[in-house]
Amino acid sequence: MAGGKLKSGTKHGKHKGKRWKKGHSSDSNPQIRKHRLTAKNRFFNQNVGSSGLTEAALAKHDEISEDREDDITSTEKETGSVSGRTFSTWATNWTECTNTTFSRVHRYASSNSAMHKEILAVLAAVTEVIKASGGKESETEYFAALMTSLESVEGEQSLAAVAYLLSLVMKRVPPAVLKSRFSDIAKALLHVMATHVNTQFTSLSRSIIVCLTSVLRVQDPIVWNDSSTLQIYHGLLALTTHHKPKVRKAAHHAVCVILKGSAFMQHPESPPYHPASSTTAKYCIQQMEDTGGTGEATTTLHMLGLLKDVLAVFPQHSVKAACETILRLMTLSNVLVTSVAMQTLHGMFSMQPKASSLPAELNAQIITALYDYQPGENDVQPLTAWLAVMEKAHVNLGRIDAKLCISHLPRIFNSAMKCLLSEKAEIAHVAADTLKILLNNCVATNMAFVKSVLTTAAESIPTPIHKMFRAVEGGLSYQFHAEWGQVLQILAAFFEVLGQECPKMMKKCLVSMADLRDSHRFPYKAELDHAVGVAVRRMGPRLVLEAVPLQITGNEDNYEFPRSWLIPVLRDNIKETELGFFTSYFLPLAARLRAKSITYSKEDHLVESKTYDALQLQIWSLLPGFCTRPTDLKQSFKGVAKILGSAISDRADLRMTVMASLRKLIQHSLEKEDNRTEVAKYAKNFLPILFNVFTVDTEYEKDPTRLAMLETIKTYLQLADRQLTASFCDKCLDKMLGQDIGSLQRHSLMDLAIAMVPHVNKPRLHRMHGFIVLQLESTDKTVQKKSYRILEEICAGKSPESIQFVTENLTELQKLLLKSLSSSGPSSKAPRLRCLCHIFKNLKSSQHEFLIAVVPEAVLCTKEVGERARTAAYNLLDNMGTAQLTWSDKPQQETVQNYFELVMAGLAGSPHMVSATVLALTRLLYLYKADISRDLLELLVDQACLLLTSKAREIVQSALGYLKVLLSSFQDVDLAQHLKKLVLCLVSMKEDNKHHFRFKAKEIFGRLIRKFSYETIYSMVPESHHKMLVNLRKTQERAKKKKKPGGEYDEDEEEKSLKSSFKAESIDDILRDTDSEIDDVDDSRQTKAKKPHKKVAKSGSAWLKETGDDDIVDFMDPGVSKKVLATKPDSSVSSKKAVKHDFKMAPDGRLIITEEKEEMDTKIKKGKNVKEEAMDDLDELLDAMEGNPKKSRKRKMESVEVDEDEAPAKYKAGGSGIHRLIAVGKRKVGAGMGVEYKAKKAGGDVKKKGKPDPFAYVPLDFKQLNKRKRAKAAGQFKNLVKGAKKGAISGKRAKRRK
């Protein structure tokens, strides 16, 4: 059985065992019940026969268990006195070590591991020796003891255990100890390594490597000049090509730690590179040159993997030599070696090496050399990797030397643009992303140098920037039509980066883009509009319209307006540009279009009139963009201010647009003092216009235009002069006090007063206060509400004057609010409650009587219909509680309890008052849950239980919400003593309420189950509720199963379209590792089952690209790498470039085009029925129309006339594939269900032996259990019975006739 599988006792032969008979798989009472009877006997009958369980065995078991418990207890006591350790595991019985360095050993969970037990035994022995000699269990003591054990221990398993413990402790040994004993430590470790280099215990080699790394890492630079140190380091390097992956990985990591993380390399004044880096480079180069890239080239691949992590820390000469070797390896055309070499170079550039290691000249030379290794344009994986390496190389070069980087960019742009012509969509996406990254990381980060190049260069000599742009601009030709979307994205990146610096260079490109946009059915309109929008943002609308005119003048002969697509693009992207351009270009155009519209309207040309009217409105829609941070506000605003004022007063169709523009202008002008002053000068002109239009009587008070106008007034008042605002306020108050104004005008004036409150002085606040005192008892509820809004603005204290006014008149405001309570209407509740909130925030001393007077109102308003009133009531309850805590000198819990008792007084009122009180208590319970004492909690629970037994639904509904918050606010420990009471009150509700609130009660039971467990709640409820709890548990378990480990899936995080969201993979995703490294797990853990690995495509396969029979690949050609492919080339012609047609082709390539009649004659001669083929096509068409599309065969180009009198031919099997002849049954193609039951002679169905009866079966549906739907189901069955009877009667009649 060694190495084989354990055979099952079941024989798998020709007999498949006992199976269900056909049609009886759903039987609930099978005839054979052998296993059930056996189980039943075992459960209810005594065991027959002797048993191994005796009294002596039980006594021995108890004795062993007691001894083990005593040992654990004594061990815990002893270790607790030494180290204070409070944990104990099974490993505690093995060792008494208290040093935290070995805590990892104690945390191991695999107690069955023999290796682990050996480690614990060694640790216990070493600990015992240290304690016997009076040691303090320091790291140095453990290090000395373990080094001694390393030289004396026998057996590879024990040696591996000692080495493992040594690797743990050496990381914490003082560096001075390791420096002083360096030679002895290294000698002992190398002896063990040399002796057991091929041991089966991989952990031994790995532990020794870790120990050597710890020793070498702390040595001083001078020590590395000794040949002995380099010899030790060479031993580590030799292990980087070890045949075992774990050892190789450990050595690889050790070299990286030494070269990058040595102690002297971490100092601020560290040397530029490690002394051993040159040695490492020489070793890697030698190994690669010796093995080369032939065959599997395993050693070469391992060296390249090492260089990926350490090449960036080599000195310059070593980097140059290593890169030359890597490039020579790539000439061997070994696909796998080339891929890993690309990965190595990518790793070097990604680490951003210092200029001393990789100077700009060497970086540029590597970039130039890599062009000789550019793969073919259709080789996906290698070309994607090559683009990734070139991207990192140019980004690193731009970081070191901007001038040299810019000069190298045109060539990579040309190469990447050629990649867009690839037949593979992935390559085009990666190439486009590469160019966008280069623009953002190489050009945008070096704009100072780019500007100097653009300004100093002569116009006749193209700069590298011009060459780059021309390369991308060439992508607008028809040759790139399949990837125009990617080209437009690259152009958008160009406009974003260089739009401001070189707009003239881009005008020609904009013209080409506009021509493409105007072409018929252009498929990339969204990408093109985005690119033009970016150009508008960066270059400005003036330059864009110079290149691409709008072609709308108002004097057109036709009404197509081909460039009208520019208006939405301009509207969405204009910002931070010249406001004067709108005044000089767009305003005259809008005036001409409006005049044209009026002219056509007078001539009754309605279509033309509407067209020009819509165009002039679209022109005005550009104004908000021009008002977004304009660059010439101080110079241009005076030219447009008068026109804007006239538009607000005279043009109702433009008010919304103009006011939105004005608000944007004001908000952005606050950022600069010059702009603020300029806009504020025109407040005396704009505010009267806005006031006059706002106070004009309208039929609809809540008109959106009025609301926008009021918002514009509030915004402009921020800039207006205080004296100007005061004069407006006086006029407003005078008009409000007048008796000859309408109600709507009075409401408008009060809205203006609300807006002006934060900007007026104290005398006018007194005057406003006097006015609203008279209006708080007004019968006009709108006037009353707006009066409270004025009072709210005063109490809010948005200005120093209002704060001072509230402080001086606080008592009067309190009396006013209490006095006006009885006359306040429902619509005034929200502003009134907000006034009270502001009052309580300003109360510094105790006002207990005022609080008692306000509490009932706040509680009752929690049941208001308006959401704002309810929110204000809850906020008022919170503010009152905060105020009482501020006033009181008592402990916080006692103060909270007093406040709760004050609110709970409402429980003695009407059902409406009780319900509102419960809602208020729910809010306070959530806010002050941390300050509720046990007595108060018990009182709250008792009140909740009492309220749940009420008859009023209103009260029970509030109590259930209160109970839900109670369960979520307190821990199970706090509520455990009240659990029985809570469950009892839930099941004791009145029957009417129990049915009405069954879902809310079920939700509360779900919370109780989650908090106190299902069994606990199940035992407390009566039997009538058991069914509900069982259903609830099943629902919760089902929800747990459905919930994914990462949480619920967010549909908003779905991936976007490929053209906008494609992102190149990292180099590690593009290139696979050379081998699958095993996880760093202990070798002795053999109990884990190994997961089956998926088969990966064989690496290293290569193909040659040949374009014809006479095409011979010249391997001496420098560009041969483009013809050595890592991807199997397609034998068929690409669908992108091939032209599909249905003509026959002669062997020499000529097309054979025959006449229709000749084609038919040929088919008839061959025995092909033309009508049969036509009917087949018709059948396919009908199938597609019925929703059953089939993969259609290739149709011929001829049209065939079908004779309607002739019936379509039947399908006959014959041929290969799905058309092959099969010998199963004789059913006709396309026969319906149940055809096998059809009688051969009679007209009905017959029974078949061994098959179900040919009845019509009705599917069961749980919905039919519903009483309301039984009638419908019964009607269906009646129809079935009626049809059956009708058939039977007709059969009898036919029988009689015979």
Side-chain angles (χ1 to χ4, degrees), residues 457-467 470:
E459 295 184 2
S460 58
I461 302 176
T463 63
I465 301 296
H466 289 78
K467 294 178 182 178
R470 287 177 186 174

Short mmCIF file of all heavy atoms in Angstrom, two decimals, residues 457-467 470:
data_model
loop_
_atom_site.label_atom_id
_atom_site.label_comp_id
_atom_site.label_asym_id
_atom_site.label_seq_id
_atom_site.Cartn_x
_atom_site.Cartn_y
_atom_site.Cartn_z
N ALA A 457 13.10 77.81 -28.44
CA ALA A 457 13.26 77.10 -29.72
C ALA A 457 12.74 77.97 -30.87
O ALA A 457 11.77 78.72 -30.72
CB ALA A 457 12.51 75.78 -29.69
N ALA A 458 13.40 77.86 -32.02
CA ALA A 458 12.96 78.57 -33.22
C ALA A 458 11.72 77.89 -33.80
O ALA A 458 11.50 76.69 -33.62
CB ALA A 458 14.08 78.59 -34.25
N GLU A 459 10.91 78.68 -34.51
CA GLU A 459 9.66 78.14 -35.04
C GLU A 459 9.89 77.11 -36.13
O GLU A 459 9.09 76.19 -36.32
CB GLU A 459 8.80 79.29 -35.59
CG GLU A 459 8.33 80.25 -34.52
CD GLU A 459 7.41 81.30 -35.11
OE1 GLU A 459 7.13 81.23 -36.33
OE2 GLU A 459 6.96 82.18 -34.35
N SER A 460 10.99 77.23 -36.85
CA SER A 460 11.24 76.30 -37.95
C SER A 460 11.80 74.96 -37.48
O SER A 460 11.76 73.97 -38.20
CB SER A 460 12.22 76.92 -38.95
OG SER A 460 13.44 77.26 -38.29
N ILE A 461 12.34 74.94 -36.27
CA ILE A 461 12.95 73.72 -35.73
C ILE A 461 11.96 73.09 -34.75
O ILE A 461 11.62 73.69 -33.73
CB ILE A 461 14.27 74.02 -35.01
CG1 ILE A 461 15.25 74.69 -35.99
CG2 ILE A 461 14.87 72.74 -34.44
CD1 ILE A 461 16.54 75.12 -35.34
N PRO A 462 11.48 71.91 -35.03
CA PRO A 462 10.52 71.27 -34.11
C PRO A 462 11.21 70.77 -32.84
O PRO A 462 12.30 70.19 -32.89
CB PRO A 462 9.96 70.11 -34.92
CG PRO A 462 11.02 69.80 -35.92
CD PRO A 462 11.71 71.08 -36.24
N THR A 463 10.61 71.03 -31.74
CA THR A 463 11.12 70.56 -30.46
C THR A 463 10.66 69.13 -30.21
O THR A 463 9.77 68.62 -30.91
CB THR A 463 10.61 71.46 -29.32
OG1 THR A 463 9.17 71.35 -29.27
CG2 THR A 463 10.99 72.91 -29.56
N PRO A 464 11.23 68.43 -29.23
CA PRO A 464 10.73 67.08 -28.90
C PRO A 464 9.24 67.07 -28.58
O PRO A 464 8.55 66.09 -28.90
CB PRO A 464 11.58 66.68 -27.70
CG PRO A 464 12.85 67.45 -27.84
CD PRO A 464 12.45 68.75 -28.45
N ILE A 465 8.75 68.14 -27.97
CA ILE A 465 7.32 68.20 -27.66
C ILE A 465 6.50 68.20 -28.95
O ILE A 465 5.47 67.51 -29.05
CB ILE A 465 7.01 69.45 -26.81
CG1 ILE A 465 7.81 69.44 -25.51
CG2 ILE A 465 5.53 69.57 -26.54
CD1 ILE A 465 7.46 68.30 -24.59
N HIS A 466 6.95 68.98 -29.94
CA HIS A 466 6.24 69.01 -31.22
C HIS A 466 6.29 67.64 -31.90
O HIS A 466 5.29 67.20 -32.50
CB HIS A 466 6.86 70.07 -32.14
CG HIS A 466 6.56 71.47 -31.72
ND1 HIS A 466 7.23 72.09 -30.68
CD2 HIS A 466 5.66 72.38 -32.19
CE1 HIS A 466 6.76 73.32 -30.54
NE2 HIS A 466 5.82 73.53 -31.43
N LYS A 467 7.39 66.96 -31.82
CA LYS A 467 7.50 65.63 -32.42
C LYS A 467 6.55 64.64 -31.74
O LYS A 467 5.91 63.82 -32.41
CB LYS A 467 8.94 65.13 -32.33
CG LYS A 467 9.93 65.94 -33.15
CD LYS A 467 11.34 65.41 -32.96
CE LYS A 467 12.37 66.24 -33.76
NZ LYS A 467 13.74 65.74 -33.53
N ARG A 470 2.98 65.45 -32.86
CA ARG A 470 2.74 65.05 -34.25
C ARG A 470 2.53 63.54 -34.35
O ARG A 470 1.72 63.07 -35.16
CB ARG A 470 3.90 65.48 -35.13
CG ARG A 470 3.94 66.99 -35.39
CD ARG A 470 5.17 67.36 -36.21
NE ARG A 470 5.29 68.81 -36.34
CZ ARG A 470 6.33 69.43 -36.91
NH1 ARG A 470 7.34 68.70 -37.39
NH2 ARG A 470 6.37 70.75 -36.99
#
